[in-house]
Amino acid sequence: MTCARPEEQSRTWRADGVVHIDVRGLEPPEPMVTILRAIDSGEADTDLGAHLDREPIFLYPELDERGWSYELMPSSCGSPDCDDKVTLRMERWGA
């Protein structure tokens, strides 16, 4: 999963059927709130990739409660601005 955003520098985009949200640089709890808002609103229906500054440990129980599985992955954008960042891949159960 890569972190390349479209040219317009939007925080949210869709690529290969996956909704991506870049929440790097946001102060807690805004990254978690933004991700849960995308899930609860239906914007992210089955697959979601979140690009974060750190592991979102407080998000995991919320994802479990909403029926989403998740996998923490190292960021792979190949750019210096991704150093020490993570990507959380999420998928709705039964999707």
Side-chain angles (χ1 to χ4, degrees), residues 10 19 22 35 39 44 61 68 90 92:
S10 171
V19 173
D22 186 346
I35 292 166
I39 288 171
W68 285 71
M90 294 160 274
R92 185 182 304 273

Side-chain angles (χ1 to χ4, degrees), residues 3-4 24 75-85:
C3 64
R24 293 173 292 170
S75 201
S76 60
C77 76
S79 171
D81 68 342
C82 286
D83 289 346
D84 300 323
K85 309 298 184 211

Side-chain angles (χ1 to χ4, degrees), residues 51-66:
H51 307 278
L52 304 118
D53 291 317
R54 65 190 66 79
E55 184 175 7
I57 58 172
F58 297 111
L59 177 62
Y60 299 147
E62 299 292 333
L63 293 173
D64 289 335
E65 186 176 297
R66 287 165 171 81

